[in-house]
mmCIF file of all heavy atoms in Angstrom:
data_model
loop_
_atom_site.group_PDB
_atom_site.id
_atom_site.type_symbol
_atom_site.label_atom_id
_atom_site.label_comp_id
_atom_site.label_asym_id
_atom_site.label_seq_id
_atom_site.Cartn_x
_atom_site.Cartn_y
_atom_site.Cartn_z
ATOM 1 N N SER A 78 21.251 3.760 25.299
ATOM 2 C CA SER A 78 22.039 3.031 26.334
ATOM 3 C C SER A 78 21.332 1.693 26.701
ATOM 4 O O SER A 78 21.959 0.816 27.257
ATOM 5 C CB SER A 78 22.185 3.927 27.551
ATOM 6 O OG SER A 78 20.981 4.278 28.109
ATOM 7 N N ARG A 79 20.014 1.608 26.609
ATOM 8 C CA ARG A 79 19.282 0.331 26.941
ATOM 9 C C ARG A 79 19.268 -0.722 25.851
ATOM 10 O O ARG A 79 18.777 -1.750 26.044
ATOM 11 C CB ARG A 79 17.856 0.691 27.328
ATOM 12 C CG ARG A 79 17.569 1.747 28.321
ATOM 13 C CD ARG A 79 18.456 1.740 29.450
ATOM 14 N NE ARG A 79 18.506 0.549 30.301
ATOM 15 C CZ ARG A 79 19.546 0.103 31.007
ATOM 16 N NH1 ARG A 79 20.639 0.852 31.071
ATOM 17 N NH2 ARG A 79 19.498 -0.987 31.689
ATOM 18 N N THR A 164 7.293 -3.415 28.307
ATOM 19 C CA THR A 164 8.302 -2.842 27.531
ATOM 20 C C THR A 164 8.679 -3.608 26.249
ATOM 21 O O THR A 164 9.409 -3.158 25.368
ATOM 22 C CB THR A 164 9.661 -2.739 28.315
ATOM 23 O OG1 THR A 164 9.926 -3.929 28.897
ATOM 24 C CG2 THR A 164 9.517 -1.727 29.483
ATOM 25 N N LEU A 189 9.312 3.573 27.909
ATOM 26 C CA LEU A 189 9.019 4.318 29.106
ATOM 27 C C LEU A 189 10.007 3.985 30.188
ATOM 28 O O LEU A 189 10.444 2.847 30.220
ATOM 29 C CB LEU A 189 7.579 3.928 29.586
ATOM 30 C CG LEU A 189 6.440 4.296 28.625
ATOM 31 C CD1 LEU A 189 5.049 3.921 29.237
ATOM 32 C CD2 LEU A 189 6.466 5.770 28.266
ATOM 33 N N HIS A 190 10.268 4.929 31.090
ATOM 34 C CA HIS A 190 11.197 4.513 32.226
ATOM 35 C C HIS A 190 10.698 5.264 33.420
ATOM 36 O O HIS A 190 10.204 6.428 33.402
ATOM 37 C CB HIS A 190 12.616 4.892 31.858
ATOM 38 C CG HIS A 190 13.524 4.653 33.007
ATOM 39 N ND1 HIS A 190 14.400 5.600 33.578
ATOM 40 C CD2 HIS A 190 13.841 3.498 33.669
ATOM 41 C CE1 HIS A 190 15.077 4.994 34.501
ATOM 42 N NE2 HIS A 190 14.747 3.756 34.593
ATOM 43 N N GLY A 191 10.979 4.651 34.629
ATOM 44 C CA GLY A 191 10.460 5.215 35.904
ATOM 45 C C GLY A 191 8.948 4.899 36.013
ATOM 46 O O GLY A 191 8.303 4.528 35.128
ATOM 47 N N GLY A 192 8.536 5.158 37.191
ATOM 48 C CA GLY A 192 7.118 5.009 37.528
ATOM 49 C C GLY A 192 6.217 6.006 36.829
ATOM 50 O O GLY A 192 6.584 7.162 36.869
ATOM 51 N N PRO A 193 5.069 5.550 36.208
ATOM 52 C CA PRO A 193 4.011 6.550 35.869
ATOM 53 C C PRO A 193 3.566 7.206 37.052
ATOM 54 O O PRO A 193 3.634 6.651 38.182
ATOM 55 C CB PRO A 193 2.929 5.703 35.247
ATOM 56 C CG PRO A 193 3.432 4.353 35.059
ATOM 57 C CD PRO A 193 4.633 4.226 35.924
ATOM 58 N N LYS A 194 3.184 8.556 36.898
ATOM 59 C CA LYS A 194 2.790 9.350 38.163
ATOM 60 C C LYS A 194 1.286 9.637 37.978
ATOM 61 O O LYS A 194 0.962 10.267 37.020
ATOM 62 C CB LYS A 194 3.598 10.603 38.268
ATOM 63 C CG LYS A 194 5.147 10.244 38.400
ATOM 64 C CD LYS A 194 5.526 9.575 39.727
ATOM 65 C CE LYS A 194 6.815 8.690 39.695
ATOM 66 N NZ LYS A 194 7.960 9.128 39.086
ATOM 67 N N ARG A 207 12.145 7.503 27.787
ATOM 68 C CA ARG A 207 13.558 7.946 27.839
ATOM 69 C C ARG A 207 13.916 9.009 26.915
ATOM 70 O O ARG A 207 14.871 9.749 27.141
ATOM 71 C CB ARG A 207 14.405 6.630 27.647
ATOM 72 C CG ARG A 207 14.479 5.733 28.874
ATOM 73 C CD ARG A 207 15.633 4.752 28.767
ATOM 74 N NE ARG A 207 15.679 3.832 29.835
ATOM 75 C CZ ARG A 207 16.539 3.911 30.842
ATOM 76 N NH1 ARG A 207 17.301 4.880 30.959
ATOM 77 N NH2 ARG A 207 16.497 2.915 31.860
ATOM 78 N N ARG A 232 14.976 11.526 32.301
ATOM 79 C CA ARG A 232 15.255 10.459 33.314
ATOM 80 C C ARG A 232 13.875 10.082 33.885
ATOM 81 O O ARG A 232 13.544 8.904 33.961
ATOM 82 C CB ARG A 232 16.064 10.968 34.497
ATOM 83 C CG ARG A 232 17.494 11.430 34.001
ATOM 84 C CD ARG A 232 18.168 10.165 33.534
ATOM 85 N NE ARG A 232 18.481 9.335 34.678
ATOM 86 C CZ ARG A 232 18.822 8.081 34.700
ATOM 87 N NH1 ARG A 232 19.000 7.496 33.530
ATOM 88 N NH2 ARG A 232 19.080 7.411 35.726
ATOM 89 N N ASN A 233 13.172 11.043 34.343
ATOM 90 C CA ASN A 233 11.829 10.677 35.052
ATOM 91 C C ASN A 233 10.974 11.987 35.133
ATOM 92 O O ASN A 233 11.411 13.077 34.818
ATOM 93 C CB ASN A 233 11.994 9.915 36.303
ATOM 94 C CG ASN A 233 12.357 10.926 37.471
ATOM 95 O OD1 ASN A 233 12.972 11.958 37.258
ATOM 96 N ND2 ASN A 233 11.892 10.620 38.669
ATOM 97 N N ILE A 234 9.768 11.777 35.676
ATOM 98 C CA ILE A 234 8.935 12.912 35.970
ATOM 99 C C ILE A 234 8.412 12.752 37.381
ATOM 100 O O ILE A 234 8.360 11.643 37.954
ATOM 101 C CB ILE A 234 7.779 13.012 34.965
ATOM 102 C CG1 ILE A 234 6.962 11.592 34.916
ATOM 103 C CG2 ILE A 234 8.271 13.367 33.540
ATOM 104 C CD1 ILE A 234 5.732 11.626 34.107
ATOM 105 N N TYR A 248 18.732 14.372 31.274
ATOM 106 C CA TYR A 248 20.180 14.241 31.151
ATOM 107 C C TYR A 248 20.588 15.196 29.945
ATOM 108 O O TYR A 248 21.704 15.735 30.012
ATOM 109 C CB TYR A 248 20.483 12.816 30.749
ATOM 110 C CG TYR A 248 21.027 11.900 31.795
ATOM 111 C CD1 TYR A 248 20.971 12.297 33.082
ATOM 112 C CD2 TYR A 248 21.496 10.641 31.450
ATOM 113 C CE1 TYR A 248 21.375 11.434 34.161
ATOM 114 C CE2 TYR A 248 21.948 9.753 32.483
ATOM 115 C CZ TYR A 248 21.889 10.161 33.721
ATOM 116 O OH TYR A 248 22.362 9.258 34.832
ATOM 117 N N SER A 280 19.733 13.658 37.507
ATOM 118 C CA SER A 280 19.494 12.156 37.557
ATOM 119 C C SER A 280 17.972 11.739 37.747
ATOM 120 O O SER A 280 17.511 10.812 37.245
ATOM 121 C CB SER A 280 20.207 11.549 38.733
ATOM 122 O OG SER A 280 21.601 11.646 38.475
ATOM 123 N N ALA A 281 17.295 12.601 38.596
ATOM 124 C CA ALA A 281 15.977 12.267 38.823
ATOM 125 C C ALA A 281 15.238 13.432 39.536
ATOM 126 O O ALA A 281 16.003 14.202 40.268
ATOM 127 C CB ALA A 281 15.774 10.947 39.656
ATOM 128 N N VAL A 282 13.952 13.508 39.575
ATOM 129 C CA VAL A 282 13.201 14.504 40.323
ATOM 130 C C VAL A 282 12.106 13.757 41.059
ATOM 131 O O VAL A 282 11.490 12.828 40.511
ATOM 132 C CB VAL A 282 12.681 15.601 39.392
ATOM 133 C CG1 VAL A 282 11.729 15.152 38.369
ATOM 134 C CG2 VAL A 282 11.998 16.741 40.362
ATOM 135 N N TYR A 283 11.908 14.137 42.294
ATOM 136 C CA TYR A 283 10.893 13.509 43.137
ATOM 137 C C TYR A 283 9.972 14.544 43.714
ATOM 138 O O TYR A 283 10.389 15.715 43.920
ATOM 139 C CB TYR A 283 11.583 12.775 44.304
ATOM 140 C CG TYR A 283 12.585 11.728 43.852
ATOM 141 C CD1 TYR A 283 13.967 12.068 43.684
ATOM 142 C CD2 TYR A 283 12.188 10.466 43.642
ATOM 143 C CE1 TYR A 283 14.818 11.158 43.204
ATOM 144 C CE2 TYR A 283 13.134 9.412 43.224
ATOM 145 C CZ TYR A 283 14.425 9.797 43.028
ATOM 146 O OH TYR A 283 15.334 9.040 42.511
ATOM 147 N N ASP A 350 23.245 10.987 43.548
ATOM 148 C CA ASP A 350 22.404 10.894 42.419
ATOM 149 C C ASP A 350 21.293 9.803 42.501
ATOM 150 O O ASP A 350 20.566 9.609 41.525
ATOM 151 C CB ASP A 350 23.174 10.873 41.178
ATOM 152 C CG ASP A 350 23.890 9.567 40.961
ATOM 153 O OD1 ASP A 350 24.032 8.765 41.990
ATOM 154 O OD2 ASP A 350 24.455 9.297 39.903
ATOM 155 N N ASP A 351 21.191 9.109 43.615
ATOM 156 C CA ASP A 351 20.045 8.192 43.700
ATOM 157 C C ASP A 351 19.530 8.430 45.122
ATOM 158 O O ASP A 351 20.294 8.336 46.095
ATOM 159 C CB ASP A 351 20.658 6.787 43.574
ATOM 160 C CG ASP A 351 19.580 5.715 43.655
ATOM 161 O OD1 ASP A 351 18.377 5.984 43.328
ATOM 162 O OD2 ASP A 351 19.982 4.475 43.918
ATOM 163 N N HIS A 392 20.767 0.453 45.756
ATOM 164 C CA HIS A 392 19.717 1.002 44.794
ATOM 165 C C HIS A 392 18.722 1.663 45.675
ATOM 166 O O HIS A 392 17.616 1.101 45.999
ATOM 167 C CB HIS A 392 19.164 -0.093 43.933
ATOM 168 C CG HIS A 392 18.304 0.409 42.830
ATOM 169 N ND1 HIS A 392 17.343 -0.336 42.223
ATOM 170 C CD2 HIS A 392 18.280 1.664 42.204
ATOM 171 C CE1 HIS A 392 16.743 0.508 41.276
ATOM 172 N NE2 HIS A 392 17.373 1.617 41.271
ATOM 173 N N GLY A 394 16.630 4.062 45.240
ATOM 174 C CA GLY A 394 15.277 4.254 44.657
ATOM 175 C C GLY A 394 14.297 3.114 44.879
ATOM 176 O O GLY A 394 13.157 3.268 44.835
ATOM 177 N N LEU A 412 22.955 -3.131 43.770
ATOM 178 C CA LEU A 412 23.052 -3.448 42.380
ATOM 179 C C LEU A 412 24.275 -4.397 42.013
ATOM 180 O O LEU A 412 24.409 -4.885 40.967
ATOM 181 C CB LEU A 412 23.144 -2.159 41.557
ATOM 182 C CG LEU A 412 21.869 -1.287 41.588
ATOM 183 C CD1 LEU A 412 22.219 0.089 40.928
ATOM 184 C CD2 LEU A 412 20.764 -1.968 41.003
ATOM 185 N N PHE A 438 17.228 -5.577 42.095
ATOM 186 C CA PHE A 438 16.911 -4.221 41.534
ATOM 187 C C PHE A 438 15.784 -3.543 42.290
ATOM 188 O O PHE A 438 15.769 -2.398 42.602
ATOM 189 C CB PHE A 438 16.530 -4.378 40.024
ATOM 190 C CG PHE A 438 16.815 -3.277 39.212
ATOM 191 C CD1 PHE A 438 18.160 -3.208 38.482
ATOM 192 C CD2 PHE A 438 16.106 -2.134 39.160
ATOM 193 C CE1 PHE A 438 18.458 -2.108 37.766
ATOM 194 C CE2 PHE A 438 16.452 -1.034 38.325
ATOM 195 C CZ PHE A 438 17.615 -1.083 37.655
ATOM 196 N N PHE A 439 14.657 -4.370 42.511
ATOM 197 C CA PHE A 439 13.488 -3.777 43.091
ATOM 198 C C PHE A 439 13.083 -4.459 44.410
ATOM 199 O O PHE A 439 13.275 -5.685 44.517
ATOM 200 C CB PHE A 439 12.339 -3.870 42.198
ATOM 201 C CG PHE A 439 12.552 -3.282 40.789
ATOM 202 C CD1 PHE A 439 12.774 -4.031 39.653
ATOM 203 C CD2 PHE A 439 12.546 -1.898 40.675
ATOM 204 C CE1 PHE A 439 13.024 -3.468 38.450
ATOM 205 C CE2 PHE A 439 12.789 -1.305 39.406
ATOM 206 C CZ PHE A 439 13.023 -2.133 38.286
ATOM 207 N N ARG A 441 9.612 -4.466 47.349
ATOM 208 C CA ARG A 441 8.270 -4.030 47.626
ATOM 209 C C ARG A 441 7.706 -4.743 48.809
ATOM 210 O O ARG A 441 8.053 -5.833 49.143
ATOM 211 C CB ARG A 441 7.354 -4.438 46.438
ATOM 212 C CG ARG A 441 7.316 -3.544 45.304
ATOM 213 C CD ARG A 441 6.695 -2.221 45.616
ATOM 214 N NE ARG A 441 6.238 -1.527 44.501
ATOM 215 C CZ ARG A 441 7.070 -0.752 43.617
ATOM 216 N NH1 ARG A 441 8.301 -0.602 43.907
ATOM 217 N NH2 ARG A 441 6.508 -0.250 42.528
ATOM 218 N N PHE A 454 17.853 -9.679 40.385
ATOM 219 C CA PHE A 454 17.715 -9.219 38.949
ATOM 220 C C PHE A 454 18.903 -9.629 38.098
ATOM 221 O O PHE A 454 18.806 -9.949 36.926
ATOM 222 C CB PHE A 454 17.586 -7.717 38.948
ATOM 223 C CG PHE A 454 16.928 -7.165 37.680
ATOM 224 C CD1 PHE A 454 15.647 -7.179 37.491
ATOM 225 C CD2 PHE A 454 17.663 -6.660 36.633
ATOM 226 C CE1 PHE A 454 14.968 -6.649 36.387
ATOM 227 C CE2 PHE A 454 17.103 -6.078 35.549
ATOM 228 C CZ PHE A 454 15.786 -6.165 35.397
ATOM 229 N N HIS A 486 10.176 -7.247 40.226
ATOM 230 C CA HIS A 486 9.289 -6.137 40.398
ATOM 231 C C HIS A 486 7.895 -6.555 40.865
ATOM 232 O O HIS A 486 7.158 -7.164 40.034
ATOM 233 C CB HIS A 486 9.180 -5.193 39.178
ATOM 234 C CG HIS A 486 8.630 -3.856 39.508
ATOM 235 N ND1 HIS A 486 7.155 -3.648 39.655
ATOM 236 C CD2 HIS A 486 9.128 -2.637 39.737
ATOM 237 C CE1 HIS A 486 6.979 -2.390 39.938
ATOM 238 N NE2 HIS A 486 8.124 -1.794 39.969
ATOM 239 N N TRP A 501 9.729 -11.119 33.289
ATOM 240 C CA TRP A 501 10.331 -10.017 32.395
ATOM 241 C C TRP A 501 10.783 -10.652 31.059
ATOM 242 O O TRP A 501 12.009 -10.705 30.894
ATOM 243 C CB TRP A 501 11.448 -9.497 33.195
ATOM 244 C CG TRP A 501 11.834 -8.060 32.977
ATOM 245 C CD1 TRP A 501 12.483 -7.545 31.939
ATOM 246 C CD2 TRP A 501 11.719 -6.927 33.870
ATOM 247 N NE1 TRP A 501 12.725 -6.238 32.002
ATOM 248 C CE2 TRP A 501 12.283 -5.823 33.215
ATOM 249 C CE3 TRP A 501 11.161 -6.747 35.186
ATOM 250 C CZ2 TRP A 501 12.346 -4.605 33.827
ATOM 251 C CZ3 TRP A 501 11.287 -5.526 35.715
ATOM 252 C CH2 TRP A 501 11.824 -4.416 35.165
ATOM 253 N N SER A 527 7.367 -4.692 32.768
ATOM 254 C CA SER A 527 8.366 -4.271 33.795
ATOM 255 C C SER A 527 7.610 -3.797 35.065
ATOM 256 O O SER A 527 7.168 -4.623 35.804
ATOM 257 C CB SER A 527 9.219 -3.133 33.199
ATOM 258 O OG SER A 527 8.426 -2.029 32.725
ATOM 259 N N GLY A 528 7.516 -2.493 35.206
ATOM 260 C CA GLY A 528 6.815 -2.059 36.494
ATOM 261 C C GLY A 528 5.277 -2.110 36.444
ATOM 262 O O GLY A 528 4.706 -2.092 35.403
ATOM 263 N N LYS A 529 4.775 -2.173 37.642
ATOM 264 C CA LYS A 529 3.365 -2.237 37.869
ATOM 265 C C LYS A 529 3.014 -1.154 38.949
ATOM 266 O O LYS A 529 3.770 -1.097 39.940
ATOM 267 C CB LYS A 529 2.829 -3.601 38.309
ATOM 268 C CG LYS A 529 3.152 -4.701 37.146
ATOM 269 C CD LYS A 529 3.387 -6.017 37.689
ATOM 270 C CE LYS A 529 4.420 -6.188 38.714
ATOM 271 N NZ LYS A 529 5.828 -5.973 38.209
ATOM 272 N N TYR A 530 1.942 -0.509 38.849
ATOM 273 C CA TYR A 530 1.668 0.665 39.672
ATOM 274 C C TYR A 530 0.216 0.661 40.130
ATOM 275 O O TYR A 530 -0.621 0.879 39.262
ATOM 276 C CB TYR A 530 2.119 1.961 38.937
ATOM 277 C CG TYR A 530 3.507 1.795 38.322
ATOM 278 C CD1 TYR A 530 3.683 1.307 37.055
ATOM 279 C CD2 TYR A 530 4.615 2.110 39.026
ATOM 280 C CE1 TYR A 530 4.956 1.099 36.534
ATOM 281 C CE2 TYR A 530 5.920 1.883 38.601
ATOM 282 C CZ TYR A 530 6.101 1.388 37.312
ATOM 283 O OH TYR A 530 7.410 1.199 36.790
ATOM 284 N N LYS A 535 0.214 4.252 45.134
ATOM 285 C CA LYS A 535 1.008 5.414 44.608
ATOM 286 C C LYS A 535 0.423 6.792 45.131
ATOM 287 O O LYS A 535 1.211 7.627 45.569
ATOM 288 C CB LYS A 535 0.974 5.464 43.114
ATOM 289 C CG LYS A 535 1.668 4.275 42.538
ATOM 290 C CD LYS A 535 3.106 4.352 42.836
ATOM 291 C CE LYS A 535 3.804 3.069 42.462
ATOM 292 N NZ LYS A 535 4.986 2.773 43.272
ATOM 293 N N THR A 542 5.969 0.965 48.865
ATOM 294 C CA THR A 542 6.100 1.077 47.369
ATOM 295 C C THR A 542 7.011 2.251 47.104
ATOM 296 O O THR A 542 7.333 3.078 47.937
ATOM 297 C CB THR A 542 4.682 1.238 46.679
ATOM 298 O OG1 THR A 542 4.857 0.953 45.372
ATOM 299 C CG2 THR A 542 4.070 2.503 46.960
ATOM 300 N N SER A 543 7.458 2.337 45.804
ATOM 301 C CA SER A 543 8.223 3.438 45.407
ATOM 302 C C SER A 543 7.456 4.750 45.188
ATOM 303 O O SER A 543 6.189 4.599 44.881
ATOM 304 C CB SER A 543 8.896 3.099 44.095
ATOM 305 O OG SER A 543 7.922 2.919 43.069
ATOM 306 N N HIS A 544 7.998 5.822 45.270
ATOM 307 C CA HIS A 544 7.270 7.141 45.196
ATOM 308 C C HIS A 544 7.610 7.884 43.953
ATOM 309 O O HIS A 544 8.753 7.929 43.535
ATOM 310 C CB HIS A 544 7.514 7.958 46.395
ATOM 311 C CG HIS A 544 7.061 7.299 47.694
ATOM 312 N ND1 HIS A 544 7.548 7.671 48.847
ATOM 313 C CD2 HIS A 544 6.245 6.240 47.860
ATOM 314 C CE1 HIS A 544 6.971 6.881 49.833
ATOM 315 N NE2 HIS A 544 6.170 5.978 49.145
HETATM 316 FE FE1 LIG B 612 15.356 2.570 36.342
HETATM 317 C C1 LIG B 612 12.781 3.784 38.186
HETATM 318 C C2 LIG B 612 17.288 5.209 37.389
HETATM 319 C C3 LIG B 612 18.126 1.201 34.745
HETATM 320 C C4 LIG B 612 13.534 -0.043 35.165
HETATM 321 N N1 LIG B 612 15.142 4.121 37.576
HETATM 322 C C5 LIG B 612 14.000 4.426 38.215
HETATM 323 C C6 LIG B 612 14.128 5.716 38.901
HETATM 324 C C7 LIG B 612 15.370 6.135 38.647
HETATM 325 C C8 LIG B 612 16.051 5.069 37.839
HETATM 326 C C9 LIG B 612 16.075 7.412 39.154
HETATM 327 C C10 LIG B 612 13.026 6.341 39.770
HETATM 328 C C11 LIG B 612 12.205 7.290 38.868
HETATM 329 C C12 LIG B 612 10.764 7.338 38.956
HETATM 330 O O1 LIG B 612 10.146 6.286 39.149
HETATM 331 O O2 LIG B 612 10.320 8.389 39.064
HETATM 332 N N2 LIG B 612 17.340 3.085 36.143
HETATM 333 C C13 LIG B 612 17.977 4.195 36.718
HETATM 334 C C14 LIG B 612 19.381 4.170 36.392
HETATM 335 O O3 LIG B 612 20.125 5.141 36.737
HETATM 336 C C15 LIG B 612 19.607 2.903 35.698
HETATM 337 C C16 LIG B 612 20.501 2.100 36.673
HETATM 338 C C17 LIG B 612 20.491 3.086 34.429
HETATM 339 C C18 LIG B 612 19.795 3.823 33.337
HETATM 340 O O4 LIG B 612 20.130 3.585 32.169
HETATM 341 O O5 LIG B 612 18.954 4.665 33.584
HETATM 342 C C19 LIG B 612 18.270 2.365 35.470
HETATM 343 N N3 LIG B 612 15.701 0.978 35.168
HETATM 344 C C20 LIG B 612 16.828 0.601 34.634
HETATM 345 C C21 LIG B 612 16.764 -0.589 33.763
HETATM 346 O O6 LIG B 612 17.686 -1.200 33.140
HETATM 347 C C22 LIG B 612 15.381 -1.169 33.910
HETATM 348 C C23 LIG B 612 15.390 -2.426 34.658
HETATM 349 C C24 LIG B 612 14.633 -1.340 32.606
HETATM 350 C C25 LIG B 612 14.281 -0.093 31.895
HETATM 351 O O7 LIG B 612 13.131 0.098 31.639
HETATM 352 O O8 LIG B 612 15.181 0.595 31.533
HETATM 353 C C26 LIG B 612 14.767 0.005 34.802
HETATM 354 N N4 LIG B 612 13.495 2.022 36.643
HETATM 355 C C27 LIG B 612 12.859 0.906 36.074
HETATM 356 C C28 LIG B 612 11.588 0.793 36.586
HETATM 357 C C29 LIG B 612 11.371 1.861 37.443
HETATM 358 C C30 LIG B 612 12.564 2.639 37.518
HETATM 359 C C31 LIG B 612 10.532 -0.237 36.156
HETATM 360 C C32 LIG B 612 10.090 2.154 38.186
HETATM 361 C C33 LIG B 612 10.188 1.339 39.510
HETATM 362 C C34 LIG B 612 9.056 1.662 40.452
HETATM 363 O O9 LIG B 612 8.601 0.624 41.001
HETATM 364 O O10 LIG B 612 8.680 2.748 40.798
#
Side-chain angles (χ1 to χ4, degrees):
S78 60
R79 309 315 305 152
T164 53
L189 298 184
H190 179 236
K194 302 288 155 44
R207 284 198 185 257
R232 299 293 293 165
N233 78 326
I234 53 171
Y248 263 7
S280 293
V282 61
Y283 302 89
D350 66 352
D351 184 21
H392 190 205
L412 294 171
F438 210 96
F439 302 107
R441 272 296 201 276
F454 202 81
H486 195 280
W501 206 289
S527 58
K529 298 153 302 292
Y530 309 90
K535 294 293 169 207
T542 195
S543 61
H544 297 161

